[in-house]
Amino acid sequence: MKRSILRGTPRRAAALLAAALTVTAFCAADAVARSYPFGPRTRAVNDLGNQYVPFHAHLWDLLHGRSDGGLLVNWQSGFGSSFLPDLGTYLSSPFALLVVVFPRDEIDLAVYVITVLKTACAGAAMAWLLLRLRPGRWWAAGLLGAAYALCGWSLADASYNPMWLDGLVALPLLCLVGEWALDGRRRLLGVLVVALAWIANFYTAYMATLGAGLFLLLRLWLSGLPRRRALAAAGRATATVALGVGLAAPLVTVVYFGTKHAYPGRDTHFTPVATQDLLARLLPTTYGFASPALFVGTTALLLALALPFHRAAPVRVRAGWSLLVAAVALSLQWTPTHLAWHAFATPNGSPYRQTFVLCALLVVAAWHTLSYGVPAPRALAAATALLALVAAVASRSGLVHAYAWPVLLLSTAGALTGLLLLRRAEAAEAAEAAGAGGVTVPEAGDGRGAEAGDTTGDTGAVGRPGLAGLAVRVRRAEAVRSGAAATASGGGSGRAAGSSADVDDGREAGHGRETGDGPGDGRGRGVGADPAPAGEDPAPAGEDPAPAGAGAATAGRGEPRAGRAGARRRVGLAGLAVVVLVGAQLGEAAATSAVATRLRLNHLDDYASWGDRQREQAKAVSEADGWPAHRTDPGREQTVGNDPMVVGGQGAQYYSSLTADVLSRTLTALGGGWTSRGRNVQSLDNAVTDAVFSVGARVHSPPDQHQRWNPRDRGPVTVSRQDVPPLVTVRPATAPDARTGVSAFGPSPYRNQELLLGSRVYTVPALTVRTGDGARPARAPGDRPGTLVEAPRAKAAAHRPTIDAQCPARSEVYLWAPHYSGTARLTDSPAKPLTGRFTSDAAKIAAMQRLGTAPVSGHVRIELAPTRTGTVPDGAVGCLDTARLRTAVRGLKATGAEEVTVSDGTVRARLPAGSTGTAVIAAPRIAGWRCAADGAAAEPARTHFGLIAVPLDGSATSVTCTFHPPGLRLGAAVGGASLLTLVLLGTLTAVRRRRTARHPALHPATRPRERITSAL
C-alpha cells in the first residue's frame, strides 16, 4: 500500500469513530428522555422554538422561492425587518443549507439533524487535531474527540442554541490553523478556515479564536523555537486570522451594525458562581442554566488531572498544559476576563458561553497524558484523589442530584478499569519486546528520560507512548546489532538490517515533527539540525511506523506459539479496555444529556413541534394572503415568537437579538406587548393599527393548547377581513420644526395611534377603579401613573376589582394595561364579551386588548381577575368610533398609492398625479432605507412617527425606496482588500516557487536530516 494512503488513515479512522460515538450518545440520550424525534416530549425550548426553528423555516422558504422578501429585507416579520444581520447571526452556517432537502412540515427534524451533524463534526475535528499534535492510538483520539463533542456545554447549552455549535466545530479547526502556521504550510487553507468559522457564527468564532490563540502561544513555548522563528510563526498565524476575518467582514460588519441599531434589552452585570457550583459542573448529570457546563467525561477528566503527576511526560508539557487549563478556568470567574471572552458585553442569558474553550483544553490535556503512555498507578491514584476532592466540594451544590453519584461511581470505575487494562496491554507489549531483545524493561512512567529539560520522555524514537515506545527502541537496537554482526561476517543480510534501522530513523524524524515538544523547531529536528527539504511532508502523528511487537515476532521465531499467545493476550486486554472505556463514556454522556433535556423543560419555556395547529394556521394564512396589496397577520394568539416565519403572513411579530430599536419603541407606543425585555415584539390585534399597517386579513386561533396555562379552548381557526389603505399612503405635510420621530409619541397609546392614522377616532374617558369591597385602591408608586390592583384573596366574582368608565354607545372598548397580569372582561355588553388575557413581569409587558362593544347606556364596567399585583394606568380604557375609522380609511385610500410593488429590498409606488405632502410606507424606518421621488437622487429616508417617509412637492408620480444594510459597504471594502492581499501573496509564492524550479543552483538542496540509530 502506498505511503500517501497510509498517512491519513489513523486520523480518518479517529474522526469517524468520534463522529459515530457522538451521534450514538446524542440520539440515545434523546431516546432515553423520550424527546423529539424519539418520543412525545418537545425539544423546542426557549430560543430553539422561538428563534432557530422559525429562522430555518424562513430559510427553507427563501431557498424554495416562497418567502416574502429576500436576503436584504424580511417582509414577513416586524412589518419589514433587515434580514442580512439575522442571516449572519442564525443561518450563515453551511449546515443550515441542509434544510432544503427536508419537507417544509418537517422543519423541526431538519434542525435536529443539523444539530447532530454539527456536534459530530466537532468531535471529528477534535480527534483529527489530537493526532496532529502527538502520535497515539487512533481509537483513543476518537474517544477523546467524542468527549469534546459531548461536553456539558454542548449538551446543556448549545444543543438548543444550534448556532453556537459552529464555534464548537471551529475551535479545533482554528487550532489546526495554528499548527499549520507553525510549519509555514497551508496558508491559503488556513485563511479559508478562519473565514468560514467567522461566517458560520462570528460570536462563538471570536471565543474560539481567543482559545486557539492561547493554544498556539503554549505550543510555541513548548516547541523551544528560537525567538526569531517563534515570532515569525506567531506573525503567520496573526496574518492568517486577519485575512480570514477580513474575508468574512461583509457579514460580520452587517451583524455588528445590526447590534448597534437593535433594541438595547437588559443591562446585566456578571456575578461569578460559587466554587461548589463551578466544580459540580465537572461531574456527570448536573445541570444549571447560569453555571459553566464543564463536563467532559470522567475518563478525560481523570487523564487531565493525572497530567501533573505523569512522570513519563516532559516537565514542560505537564506544567504548560496544566497551567493553561487552570488559567482559563480562573478567567471564567473574573469580571475583566469574562468581559474579554464575551467581546466586552455581558450577554443576556447564560454568562458562560465561552465554556467550550475550557472543555477543549481539558481534552487536549487528557490526550497529552495518554500519548505518553497510560499513567502509573500512583499518578492515577493522585488523579482519583483530586476527583474525590472535587466531588466532595461539589456535594454542597444544589446542582448535584442524588442520581449523579451512582453515575459518577460507575463512570469512574469504568474509566479506571479501562486505563489499567490498557496499561497491562502496554506492559505485555514491552515485555515481549524485552524478552526478544534480552534487555531489562524499566517501568513506564518512572521518569527516565523525562526529567527537567528533556522534551522527548518515553515516547521513543518513533513517537510511541510509554512502554510501547521503549519496545520499539529495543527492537531497533536489536536490529542494529544484528545488522552490524551480519556485516562483520560479510553476509548480505547486514545491509537489510541496516536498511530497516534507517527506515525507522526516518519515521522518527517525521513523528518528532508532529510533537512540537522538543528543543528544535517543531518539526522533529533538534537545535542545529538541518531543515527538512522544501515541500517535504513528514509522516504525520498517528501513523504507526511498525506494527507493535514486530521485532519480538521476528527475533522470537524459535518460539512461535508463545509469541502468538502473548500477542493474543495483549490484543484481548487492549480490546477489553476499549470496550470498557467506550461503554463508560457513552453511558455517562447519554445520562448527562438526558438529564439536561428533561430539566430544561422544567426551567425554560417550551413549544410544540410542527403539528395540526401550525398546519391549520398556515392554510388560513395562505388562503387570505394578498401581499403586497395588504398584509395578512397570523394572529394575536401566537404559537412562537416568530409565527410569521413558521406559518406565513406578514405581521408585527418578530423575535431576534437584532430587533430594531425603532420597531420596538414604535409598537410599544401604540399599545403593543413584548417579551424578552423588548426584543420579542408581539402582534397587536387593533383595528386602528391594522389600518395604519395595511393589515387587511387577520387569523384568529384558539389559545395554544400546548401551553398548560392557557384556557382549554379548541375552537376553529377563523379569518377576519377589513378594508385598509394600501402599503403606501400620502399624508399632509408637517411643519418644518415639528417632531416626527418616535420621541414625538406621548404617554397614551390611543392618541399615538391617532397621530399615525391622521384622524381622531378614540374617546379616552376618566376611570374609576375599585377593589372587590368597593374601596378605592392605592396609587402606584414610582414613575408609572396609575392604580394598584392586587390579586383578591377570594376567587368569587364579588371580590374582584373593577373599572368603571363612560363610552359612546356601540363603540368598541379597548383596555391598555401593560403592567397588569390576569384577565379582564366586560360585565354588560350587547354582544358576547371577549376575555382579555394580560401577562407582564420584569421581562414582558401586556398588549392592548379589545374587550367588546359598549352598551347603549355607554356605561362600561370591566371586571378584573388579577393573578399578581399590577397597575392599571390612567387612560387605560379607549372607546373606538368605528364610523370615524371607516371615514379615515376611505380618505387614505383615495390619496394613497395606485400601485405598489415590493421585491426584496425595494419598494416602488405609483402615486396619484399632483400628490403633495409626505408619502408614508407602512414599514418601520430602520437604518438603511434610502428613498427618491421619481428619478431624483436617493437620500436617507425621513421618518413619520417611526415609519418610512418621503417628502413630495406635487410633481412626483412615483416613489422608490431601497434598503442597504448598514455596514455592508464597509464590510465589502474590507473583504475586497483581504481578497486582493490574499491573491497577491499567492502570486508571490507561485513566482518564488517557479524561480526555484528554474534556478536550482541558486537554492542548493538541504542536507538530509541526521539519522539517529538508537536510543539505547
Side-chain angles (χ1 to χ4, degrees):
M1 185 177 292
K2 293 182 179 180
R3 180 180 176 84
S4 60
I5 298 177
L6 285 172
R7 179 175 298 150
T9 299
R11 294 184 193 173
R12 286 196 295 267
L16 289 174
L17 177 62
L21 293 178
T22 299
V23 172
T24 301
F26 197 98
C27 295
D30 288 332
V32 170
R34 303 187 66 205
S35 176
Y36 179 90
F38 303 102
R41 292 188 177 91
T42 179
R43 69 182 303 269
V45 298
N46 207 347
D47 290 346
L48 179 61
N50 259 333
Q51 291 181 305
Y52 305 119
V53 171
F55 274 113
H56 280 80
H58 185 72
L59 179 64
W60 191 99
D61 292 336
L62 189 65
L63 294 174
H64 286 84
R66 290 173 42 177
S67 66
D68 295 326
L71 291 176
L72 300 181
V73 179
N74 168 19
W75 287 106
Q76 294 183 258
S77 304
F79 291 140
S81 59
S82 178
F83 181 63
L84 203 54
D86 285 332
L87 178 73
T89 302
Y90 302 104
L91 299 171
S92 53
S93 171
F95 292 92
L97 297 174
L98 293 175
V99 298
V100 75
V101 303
F102 288 83
R104 179 61 165 77
D105 57 358
E106 294 289 353
I107 194 65
D108 296 276
L109 180 62
V111 173
Y112 181 82
V113 171
I114 289 172
T115 302
V116 175
L117 285 178
K118 285 185 179 182
T119 311
C121 287
M126 177 56 76
W128 192 282
L129 171 67
L130 295 180
L131 283 176
R132 176 64 175 77
L133 293 176
R134 281 193 53 75
R137 302 170 181 83
W138 67 268
W139 61 262
L143 189 68
L144 290 178
Y148 168 71
L150 297 169
C151 66
W153 180 87
S154 170
L155 300 176
D157 296 331
S159 61
Y160 70 96
N161 293 280
M163 66 176 186
W164 293 357
L165 289 171
D166 291 289
L168 194 74
V169 180
L171 179 56
L173 294 179
L174 293 176
C175 291
L176 277 173
V177 171
E179 292 295 300
W180 298 336
L182 276 173
D183 294 343
R185 305 169 59 220
R186 297 175 179 170
R187 298 180 183 181
L188 175 60
L189 181 58
V191 171
L192 296 178
V193 168
V194 173
L196 184 60
W198 278 72
I199 289 173
N201 184 250
F202 86 98
Y203 184 57
T204 51
Y206 164 79
M207 303 175 192
T209 303
L210 291 182
L214 296 175
F215 177 94
L216 177 60
L217 290 176
L218 179 58
R219 291 284 291 164
L220 285 171
W221 181 70
L222 291 176
S223 68
L225 288 173
R227 179 177 300 178
R228 184 175 179 180
R229 298 179 66 179
L231 290 176
R236 287 193 297 269
T238 303
T240 299
V241 171
L243 289 173
V245 175
L247 291 179
L251 202 59
V252 173
T253 55
V254 166
V255 177
Y256 173 78
F257 282 97
T259 61
K260 292 299 181 182
H261 296 291
Y263 189 78
R266 180 181 60 173
D267 185 18
T268 57
H269 300 280
F270 173 68
T271 302
V273 298
T275 302
Q276 58 264 29
D277 291 341
L278 179 71
L279 296 180
R281 298 310 304 276
L282 286 165
L283 307 181
T285 69
T286 58
Y287 175 80
F289 177 75
S291 57
L294 296 171
F295 167 79
V296 289
T298 306
T299 301
L301 182 59
L302 278 173
L303 289 171
L305 293 176
L307 180 58
F309 311 102
H310 191 25
R311 298 183 64 191
V315 173
R316 288 165 64 92
V317 170
R318 286 185 275 164
W321 288 106
S322 299
L323 290 175
L324 181 59
V325 168
V328 173
L330 292 175
S331 74
L332 268 62
Q333 295 288 84
W334 191 35
T335 300
T337 48
H338 158 83
L339 292 174
W341 280 113
H342 295 93
F344 303 97
T346 297
N348 290 321
S350 173
Y352 290 98
R353 301 178 182 184
Q354 78 279 35
T355 304
F356 71 100
V357 176
L358 180 55
C359 294
L361 294 178
L362 284 170
V363 169
V364 172
W367 173 251
H368 277 81
T369 303
L370 193 58
S371 66
Y372 286 102
V374 177
R378 284 181 296 179
L380 287 178
T384 306
L386 286 178
L387 179 59
L389 180 61
V390 168
V393 177
S395 64
R396 298 179 295 172
S397 170
L399 304 178
V400 180
H401 301 280
Y403 47 75
W405 301 119
V407 175
L408 176 62
L409 290 175
L410 288 174
S411 59
T412 303
L416 290 175
T417 300
L419 291 175
L420 291 175
L421 286 172
L422 189 59
R423 179 174 174 78
R424 291 188 63 185
E426 285 185 354
E429 181 181 11
E432 292 177 24
V439 299
T440 303
V441 182
E443 181 185 4
D446 63 354
R448 299 184 188 181
E451 299 303 327
D454 182 15
T455 56
T456 58
D458 287 337
T459 56
V462 294
R464 279 192 172 272
L467 292 172
L470 179 61
V472 174
R473 292 201 303 273
V474 169
R475 291 196 300 272
R476 183 181 301 120
E478 183 67 22
V480 171
R481 287 193 293 270
S482 300
T487 304
S489 62
S493 61
R495 288 192 298 273
S499 300
S500 175
D502 291 347
V503 169
D504 280 345
D505 294 333
R507 288 169 179 169
E508 170 191 354
H511 283 290
R513 171 189 172 277
E514 300 293 344
T515 65
D517 296 329
D521 63 354
R523 305 183 184 212
R525 298 184 299 274
V527 176
D530 292 329
E536 180 179 341
D537 188 10
E543 178 184 345
D544 291 339
T554 303
R557 288 174 181 171
E559 299 177 341
R561 294 184 179 179
R564 287 195 296 270
R568 285 195 298 268
R569 180 174 178 274
R570 173 170 43 81
V571 171
L573 288 173
L576 184 59
V578 173
V579 171
V580 173
L581 291 174
V582 169
Q585 180 163 306
L586 287 180
E588 63 175 334
T592 302
S593 180
V595 167
T597 300
R598 292 292 298 273
L599 291 181
R600 273 198 301 267
L601 292 174
N602 299 331
H603 290 81
L604 304 175
D605 296 335
D606 61 273
Y607 307 89
S609 303
W610 179 280
D612 293 337
R613 176 180 175 84
Q614 292 90 337
R615 193 173 294 109
E616 293 176 6
Q617 287 177 321
K619 180 181 178 181
V621 168
S622 178
E623 292 174 351
D625 196 14
W627 175 259
H630 67 81
R631 286 186 169 104
T632 300
D633 195 302
R636 175 75 187 89
E637 287 291 348
Q638 66 184 40
T639 306
V640 296
N642 279 303
D643 269 352
M645 296 189 200
V646 179
V647 299
Q650 311 84 28
Q653 275 185 278
Y654 180 46
Y655 179 28
S656 168
S657 298
L658 303 165
T659 301
D661 180 80
V662 63
L663 171 66
S664 186
R665 295 188 186 279
T666 299
L667 293 180
T668 302
L670 299 177
W674 45 252
T675 64
S676 298
R677 296 174 175 83
R679 292 192 172 182
N680 185 353
V681 294
Q682 300 173 344
S683 174
L684 180 57
D685 190 355
N686 179 276
V688 177
T689 55
D690 282 353
V692 168
F693 290 101
S694 190
V695 179
R698 178 172 289 278
V699 176
H700 302 274
S701 304
D704 185 8
Q705 300 301 290
H706 178 78
Q707 307 300 346
R708 55 186 178 275
W709 54 79
N710 282 340
R712 300 298 94 182
D713 181 359
R714 300 184 181 275
V717 175
T718 61
V719 179
S720 63
R721 300 174 184 267
Q722 67 175 3
D723 193 24
V724 294
L727 195 67
V728 181
T729 57
V730 178
R731 312 297 181 87
T734 57
D737 57 347
R739 292 189 307 159
T740 58
V742 178
S743 60
F745 286 127
S748 171
Y750 304 110
R751 299 307 179 210
N752 295 337
Q753 291 181 12
E754 292 173 340
L755 197 62
L756 266 178
L757 182 67
S759 300
R760 181 60 64 91
V761 293
Y762 279 109
T763 297
V764 183
L767 306 178
T768 301
V769 182
R770 298 188 183 277
T771 62
D773 56 6
R776 298 291 294 271
R779 297 286 295 176
D783 57 354
R784 295 176 183 171
T787 305
L788 285 176
V789 289
E790 299 180 353
R793 297 178 181 179
K795 295 183 179 181
H799 296 279
R800 293 175 181 171
T802 59
I803 301 174
D804 288 280
Q806 191 68 28
C807 287
R810 306 293 184 182
S811 60
E812 287 190 355
V813 180
Y814 286 84
L815 177 64
W816 169 66
H819 303 290
Y820 166 73
S821 289
T823 60
R825 63 188 302 272
L826 292 177
T827 58
D828 186 12
S829 175
K832 181 180 179 181
L834 304 174
T835 300
R837 293 184 292 115
F838 299 77
T839 303
S840 71
D841 56 28
K844 59 177 68 81
I845 64 172
M848 180 187 294
Q849 298 277 334
R850 187 171 77 90
L851 300 183
T853 306
V856 177
S857 64
H859 179 262
V860 173
R861 170 164 287 185
I862 302 174
E863 182 181 273
L864 304 177
T867 55
R868 63 168 68 96
T869 299
T871 305
V872 174
D874 299 336
V877 175
C879 310
L880 175 63
D881 188 328
T882 55
R884 289 184 181 180
L885 177 61
R886 286 193 294 270
T887 301
V889 168
R890 283 195 296 268
L892 290 174
K893 290 184 66 177
T895 61
E898 297 174 347
E899 182 183 3
V900 178
T901 58
V902 180
S903 60
D904 194 3
T906 303
V907 178
R908 293 183 177 88
R910 182 163 54 86
L911 304 176
S915 297
T916 60
T918 303
V920 177
I921 301 177
R925 201 296 188 198
I926 57 179
W929 280 106
R930 298 177 64 86
C931 299
D934 280 349
E939 297 179 351
R942 308 284 181 86
T943 177
H944 181 76
F945 306 108
L947 305 185
I948 302 171
V950 186
L952 303 173
D953 59 6
S955 62
T957 59
S958 67
V959 169
T960 301
C961 290
T962 56
F963 182 74
H964 303 277
L968 183 58
R969 288 188 176 92
L970 174 62
V974 175
S978 299
L979 181 60
L980 179 61
T981 303
L982 195 61
V983 170
L984 290 176
L985 290 176
T987 303
L988 290 175
T989 302
V991 170
R992 186 179 303 166
R993 288 177 178 174
R994 182 169 298 181
R995 286 180 178 177
T996 303
R998 290 180 178 178
H999 306 285
L1002 298 178
H1003 301 274
T1006 56
R1007 291 181 301 164
R1009 284 171 289 182
E1010 182 180 356
R1011 294 171 179 172
I1012 302 175
T1013 56
S1014 177
L1016 296 179

